[in-house]
Amino acid sequence: DTEVTQTPKHLVMGMTNKKSLKCEQHMGHRAMYWYKQKAKKPPELMFVYSYEKLSINESVPSRFSPECPNSSLLNLHLHALQPEDSALYLCASSQEGGGAYNEQFFGPGTRLTVL
Amino acid sequence: GQNIDQPTEMTATEGAIVQINCTYQTSGFNGLFWYQQHAGEAPTFLSYNVLDGLEEKGRFSSFLSRSKGYSYLLLKELQMKDSASYLCAVPGGATNKLIFGTGTLLAVQP
């Protein structure tokens, strides 16, 4: 299994809603990532989990809350989002370590619209 | 810090060859990645270079010059399906962090 899956594919939410994005991989990867991507821009790193512990938080607002329940799952909890948070949210995973082990496998993304 | 530059857009003709350049400045170097991303889809891995020289993979080749801080992706026998954004990326200072360039949007025309 060389796939990263994400659910849902599309999500529309109001500014007062609470929702969660889910990501799953079964490649035995120990590093997992959340990226945000706006149209015609490269992915922007939000969070990195390494061995189920948060290792990087790129100064992301607290209305985004990541969670890594186990080595295969990564969640992103959303609360009180703003319309400018509308974007494609990508999950990725890689083997732990540097160099070629940083090859990241991306999920198909969740297209989020905040009304 | 890290800085990566790529052309924003390129246009090429079906069947032709196109070269997409990437220049980078990094504190330390641990290889360079190329990813392809079709509109609305996830980035997919194309290549990884850590030593100088050209690596060929079918119609796609990637070149690296560490002394010049320069890489290029060469696409041969272009097909319409090659129309996509091509992202150059280097690992950041900490392990597991990838710094992406702005991406080059390639349009292949008949």
Side-chain angles (χ1 to χ4, degrees), chain B residues 53-89:
Chain B
L54 186 68
E55 300 235 353
E56 298 187 63
K57 256 191 209 179
R59 294 190 299 115
F60 291 11
S61 303
S62 55
F63 172 83
L64 177 68
S65 169
R66 289 172 295 172
S67 62
K68 294 181 180 176
Y70 168 67
S71 173
Y72 66 73
L73 184 68
L74 193 70
L75 291 74
K76 301 177 188 175
E77 301 168 18
L78 280 173
Q79 301 175 10
M80 300 298 289
K81 67 179 182 180
D82 297 329
S83 294
S85 186
Y86 291 86
L87 298 157
C88 171

Side-chain angles (χ1 to χ4, degrees), chain A residues 5-21:
Chain A
T5 59
Q6 288 187 246
T7 55
K9 287 190 176 179
H10 301 275
L11 179 62
V12 179
M13 60 186 290
M15 290 189 283
T16 57
N17 292 156
K18 283 186 183 181
K19 297 285 184 183
S20 296
L21 308 185

